[in-house]
């Protein structure tokens, strides 16, 4: 009987402790990560995962090297910069297929149907940030440079955009985008979004990363983690589970009203699972190649890093 | 004084850098987490000039911010020294305002004043002002009984004289806190640049953080440390000079 009890208790005791560092605070962008944890997907895979919220001062890749986390979420530019400096980071899944980093603008101004329409506009960019890299790529594609537009430095608040001092303002489409669009529409100023992917710039956003050593020494642990995580994302974005998914986000993001959370979830679904039946987590190799080429072209990395060698996830067929 | 301040800083900086490099090689960390000496040197060469200009820009705002905060702290300290209802009110209000963290107030300042010079100046002055105010209030509220008594019984006491006596008797304390508050003025300006500016070393640090470039941050810290050491040494020198001149004049506060 004692033996039976021990055997029954064994799976729980044997759960592998794992720390998973997110890129940002818990919101709709992390619904699958939270869902996998709260709804027992990790536990079922024999993992005791501690999901830690990210933030502006957090860098999952550094934590992987320091041994403070085993898995994390990082953007493509972080991965490529880290690879350029010899970091042993590898990508095991790509969550966002469409980059949520887009630009918001007032619907009252002419729509941006062509990149040449950017000429003469005042555009918000975060100097040193992803959005600067993306916008400079778009401007180069349009044959424009700094003299043809006015770039305005972006900080934490949206005042310059609200006041009309900027025409375009960078925004995370599925989180801030919903909140700001709602606020402006209620104030009688409907908005549109400018998505760089519509103009051929597919700069990869958040991906799941781990340490090369962990992949080599414990491939089974990496496989179980990835599988449980992607199952969590799949379930969270399944329309049939929408109520549970919303309830999960609301536990971690109580300040966002339920109707906005629902809209954020729907947009997140489009960015992570662009088509019904899409296998979540698939690595978009072409987009990674383009991301590296963009960074190389702008002198953000001194030489090629062969980022494709860092991709160890399910690839686009 | 200047040489001592500078080499003391260099010792601290070198020790910090050695600690980081020790950790890097001990834990086998890549240049992404902690850059190696070669990369730090390359970064130093690449951004030295630009960061030096940024640091001077920040220092100039910090010096102005410190002057503003000294004026403000002196004015409020003089008003708050009185044991009247108004004096007490000023003191309580000044203490209460201290409770608000500047990072919470910064967005409001940003909305009211926009980005740029004035915002940096206001935030620098606010961060620097609180400790100065505490010392000025403490000094100005404490009567120097043995000297003030004479002027009171002879009917010659005026508020200006009272302020002079108390300042003179605590001159060393006041000059020390003014020199020390330079650090806070610099920190305040950097915080302001971090939140709401397009210039200065704080802004450059923000960009370096976006790029996860610790090498650039180390260069920025070097510039900040050096410039602050020089500025503090100058303040200490000026403080000592004022003190000597006042003492040479025989401490004639009534004149």
């Amino acid at each position: 009987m004692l033996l039976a009890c021990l055997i029954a208790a064994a799976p729980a005791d044997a759960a592998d402790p794992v720390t998973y560092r997110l890129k940002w605070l818990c919101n709709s962008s992390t619904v699958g990560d939270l869902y996998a944890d709260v709804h027992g997907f990790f536990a079922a895979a024999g993992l005791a995962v501690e999901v830690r919220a990210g933030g502006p001062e957090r860098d999952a890749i550094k934590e992987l090297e320091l041994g403070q986390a085993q898995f994390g979420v990082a953007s493509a530019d972080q991965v490529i910069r880290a690879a350029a400096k010899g970091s042993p980071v590898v990508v095991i899944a790509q969550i966002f297929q469409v980059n949520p980093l887009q630009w918001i603008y007032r619907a009252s101004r002419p729509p941006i149907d062509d990149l040449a329409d950017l000429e003469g506009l005042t555009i918000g960019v975060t100097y040193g940030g992803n959005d600067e890299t993306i916008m400079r790529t778009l401007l180069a594609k349009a044959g424009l440079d700094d003299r043809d537009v006015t770039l305005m430095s972006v900080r934490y608040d949206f005042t310059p955009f609200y006041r009309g001092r900027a025409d375009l303002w960078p925004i995370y489409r599925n989180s801030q985008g919903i909140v700001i669009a709602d606020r402006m529409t209620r104030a009688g100023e409907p908005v549109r979004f400018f998505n760089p992917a519509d103009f051929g710039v597919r700069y990869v956003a958040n991906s799941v990363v781990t340490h090369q050593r962990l992949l080599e020494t414990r491939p089974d642990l990496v496989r179980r983690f990835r599988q449980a995580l992607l199952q969590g994302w799949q379930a969270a974005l399944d329309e049939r589970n929408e109520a549970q998914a919303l309830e999960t986000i609301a536990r971690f993001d109580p300040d966002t009203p339920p109707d906005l959370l629902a809209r954020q979830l729907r947009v997140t679904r489009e960015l992570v699972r662009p088509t019904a039946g899409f296998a979540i987590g698939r690595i978009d190799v072409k987009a990674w190649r383009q991301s590296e080429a963009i960074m190389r072209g702008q002198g953000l990395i001194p030489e090629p890093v062969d980022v494709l060698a860092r991709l160890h996830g399910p690839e686009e067929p | 004084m200047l040489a001592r301040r500078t080499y003391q800083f260099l010792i601290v900086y070198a020790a910090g850098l050695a600690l980081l490099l020790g950790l890097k090689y001990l834990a086998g960390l890549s240049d992404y987490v902690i850059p190696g000496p070669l990369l730090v040197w390359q970064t130093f060469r690449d951004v030295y000039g630009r960061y030096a200009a940024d640091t001077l820009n920040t220092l100039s705002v910090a010096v102005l911010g410190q002057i503003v905060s000294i004026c403000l702290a002196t004015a409020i300290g003089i008003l708050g020294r009185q044991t009247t209802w108004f004096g007490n009110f000023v003191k309580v209000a000044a203490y209460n305002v201290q409770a608000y963290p500047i990072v919470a107030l910064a967005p409001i300042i940003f909305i009211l004043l926009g980005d740029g010079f004035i915002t940096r100046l206001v935030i620098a002055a606010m961060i620097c002002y609180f400790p100065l105010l505490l010392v000025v209030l403490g000094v100005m509220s404490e009567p120097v009984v043995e000297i003030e008594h004479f002027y009171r019984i002879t009917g010659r006491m005026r508020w200006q004289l009272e302020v002079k006596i108390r300042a003179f008797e605590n001159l060393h304390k006041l000059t020390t806190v003014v020199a020390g508050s330079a650090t806070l003025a610099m920190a305040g300006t950097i915080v302001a640049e971090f939140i709401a500016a397009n210039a200065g070393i704080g802004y450059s640090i923000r960009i370096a953080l976006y790029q996860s470039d610790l090498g650039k941050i180390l260069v920025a810290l070097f510039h900040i440390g050096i410039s602050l050491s020089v500025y503090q040494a100058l303040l200490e020198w000026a403080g000592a000079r004022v003190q000597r001149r006042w003492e040479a004049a025989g401490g004639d506060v009534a004149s």
Side-chain angles (χ1 to χ4, degrees):
Chain A
M1 191 170 188
L2 182 66
L3 188 65
C5 287
L6 284 172
I7 290 168
D13 292 341
D16 289 302
V18 159
T19 299
Y20 179 38
R21 170 66 75 187
L22 302 177
K23 181 147 192 327
W24 195 244
L25 306 174
C26 295
N27 60 20
S28 56
S29 290
T30 60
V31 59
D33 306 308
L34 302 172
Y35 201 94
D37 186 31
V38 170
H39 293 271
F41 288 86
F42 288 135
L47 300 167
V49 178
E50 186 190 347
V51 180
R52 290 186 186 165
E57 312 308 331
R58 304 286 181 204
D59 186 330
I61 300 175
K62 287 183 179 168
E63 293 192 14
L64 295 178
E65 280 204 55
L66 291 164
Q68 294 163 350
Q70 286 68 48
F71 297 95
V73 178
S75 56
D77 73 304
Q78 282 181 308
V79 172
I80 294 168
R81 278 181 213 278
K85 290 184 177 174
S87 175
V89 62
V90 290
V91 178
I92 59 168
Q94 178 182 329
I95 300 299
F96 280 85
Q97 300 300 316
V98 180
N99 197 328
L101 183 54
Q102 300 178 9
W103 274 262
I104 190 170
Y105 65 99
R106 286 174 170 79
S108 56
R109 68 167 314 288
I112 299 168
D113 297 322
D114 190 282
L115 288 180
D117 296 337
L118 293 172
E119 188 168 2
L121 299 184
T122 300
I123 303 167
V125 292
T126 314
Y127 285 109
N130 268 344
D131 50 329
E132 185 194 3
T133 309
I134 295 170
M135 183 47 73
R136 288 194 185 283
T137 307
L138 291 163
L139 293 175
K141 265 180 91 101
L144 303 172
D145 62 26
D146 284 18
R147 287 166 298 183
D148 301 312
V149 295
T150 304
L151 296 181
M152 179 183 270
S153 178
V154 165
R155 276 164 299 277
Y156 297 111
D157 77 314
F158 286 82
T159 311
F161 180 67
Y162 288 145
R163 287 185 173 178
R165 284 172 55 207
D167 298 304
L168 268 78
W169 203 251
I171 207 161
Y172 281 93
R173 175 72 183 84
N174 60 327
S175 49
Q176 299 164 309
I178 303 295
V179 178
I180 304 298
D182 178 70
R183 198 174 293 167
M184 292 195 64
T185 305
R186 278 194 279 118
E189 289 196 291
V191 294
R192 290 197 185 98
F193 293 95
F194 169 67
N195 180 6
D198 295 340
F199 300 91
V201 176
R202 290 160 68 210
Y203 199 75
V204 180
N206 291 356
S207 293
V208 185
V209 294
T210 190
H211 198 293
Q212 173 81 39
R213 191 176 51 234
L214 191 70
L215 185 69
E216 286 166 4
T217 57
R218 303 202 58 192
D220 178 58
L221 177 79
V222 175
R223 187 190 52 77
R224 278 188 288 141
F225 178 82
R226 176 171 52 207
Q227 198 173 346
L229 180 71
L230 297 182
Q231 280 171 353
W233 270 98
Q234 203 78 47
L237 297 184
D238 188 329
E239 287 82 348
R240 290 167 297 183
N241 300 330
E242 186 162 306
Q244 292 98 305
L246 289 173
E247 188 261 333
T248 304
I249 314 172
R251 277 167 62 177
F252 295 88
D253 181 12
D255 295 331
T256 306
D259 60 319
L260 291 188
L261 279 182
R263 281 150 66 186
Q264 287 180 334
L265 181 63
R266 272 167 228 149
V267 177
T268 302
R269 190 180 288 131
E270 290 165 18
L271 301 173
V272 174
R273 199 193 67 184
T275 53
F278 182 89
I280 292 176
R282 215 161 64 184
I283 289 179
D284 184 346
V285 174
K286 282 184 204 147
W288 275 93
R289 202 180 281 135
Q290 190 187 33
S291 301
E292 184 185 346
I294 288 171
M295 291 183 72
R296 180 89 181 96
Q298 292 190 20
L300 298 174
I301 48 170
E303 48 198 47
V305 296
D306 187 16
V307 74
L308 302 193
R310 306 292 184 129
L311 309 178
H312 294 269
E315 288 182 12
E316 202 171 26
Chain B
M1 205 178 280
L2 179 62
R4 195 187 65 217
R5 276 265 180 204
T6 309
Y7 79 69
Q8 280 174 345
F9 162 72
L10 289 175
I11 290 171
V12 172
Y13 186 83
L17 198 59
L19 190 75
L20 274 178
L21 291 174
L23 178 69
K24 172 186 170 66
Y25 292 115
L26 212 64
L29 302 173
S30 74
D31 281 353
Y32 181 71
V33 182
I34 299 173
L38 191 66
L39 189 57
V40 173
W41 173 242
Q42 275 172 354
T43 311
F44 189 83
R45 278 194 324 188
D46 289 347
V47 298
Y48 177 81
R50 188 158 53 86
Y51 276 24
D54 287 344
T55 309
L56 281 178
N57 185 319
T58 301
L59 186 65
S60 61
V61 178
V63 171
L64 280 176
Q66 197 184 9
I67 293 169
V68 170
S69 63
I70 290 169
C71 296
L72 209 62
T74 307
I76 293 177
I78 290 169
L79 286 173
R81 84 191 191 288
Q82 297 161 333
T83 48
T84 58
W85 180 89
F86 182 69
N88 207 30
F89 171 77
V90 168
K91 221 183 290 185
V92 170
Y95 286 147
N96 281 348
V97 170
Q98 287 181 65
Y100 297 117
I102 201 71
V103 283
L105 292 176
I108 300 169
I109 297 169
F110 179 61
I111 290 166
L112 294 175
L113 303 173
D115 54 348
F117 173 73
I118 297 292
T119 302
R120 290 158 77 197
L121 186 68
V122 167
I123 295 177
M126 283 182 80
I127 288 185
C128 182
Y129 148 84
F130 294 139
L132 275 169
L133 176 71
L134 284 180
V135 173
V136 175
L137 268 177
V139 164
M140 291 299 158
S141 308
E142 200 62 49
V144 186
V145 180
E146 59 275 24
I147 300 174
E148 290 179 21
H149 177 70
F150 168 75
Y151 292 103
R152 279 189 210 287
I153 59 163
T154 55
R156 291 165 60 195
M157 181 59 96
R158 294 164 294 131
W159 73 266
Q160 294 97 325
L161 183 60
E162 186 180 272
V163 168
K164 254 184 166 180
I165 292 169
R166 292 176 189 181
F168 176 72
E169 285 303 308
N170 294 281
L171 200 56
H172 181 67
K173 203 188 276 184
L174 288 172
T175 53
T176 305
V177 76
V178 166
S181 69
T183 320
L184 290 168
M186 192 72 173
T189 313
I190 292 170
V191 167
E193 289 164 354
F194 211 82
I195 303 168
N198 299 336
I201 196 68
Y203 182 63
S204 297
I205 291 176
R206 194 169 72 115
I207 292 176
L209 278 175
Y210 271 124
Q211 298 170 342
S212 299
D213 197 333
L214 188 61
K216 282 184 180 166
I217 292 166
L218 288 173
V219 178
L221 292 179
F222 177 81
H223 281 301
I224 292 168
I226 280 285
S227 54
L228 206 51
S229 300
V230 172
Y231 180 47
Q232 277 192 313
L234 284 173
L235 283 176
E236 283 169 358
W237 172 79
R241 213 173 139 82
V242 167
Q243 211 165 343
R244 269 202 307 275
R245 283 182 72 172
W246 207 338
E247 279 164 2
D252 184 10
V253 290
S255 60

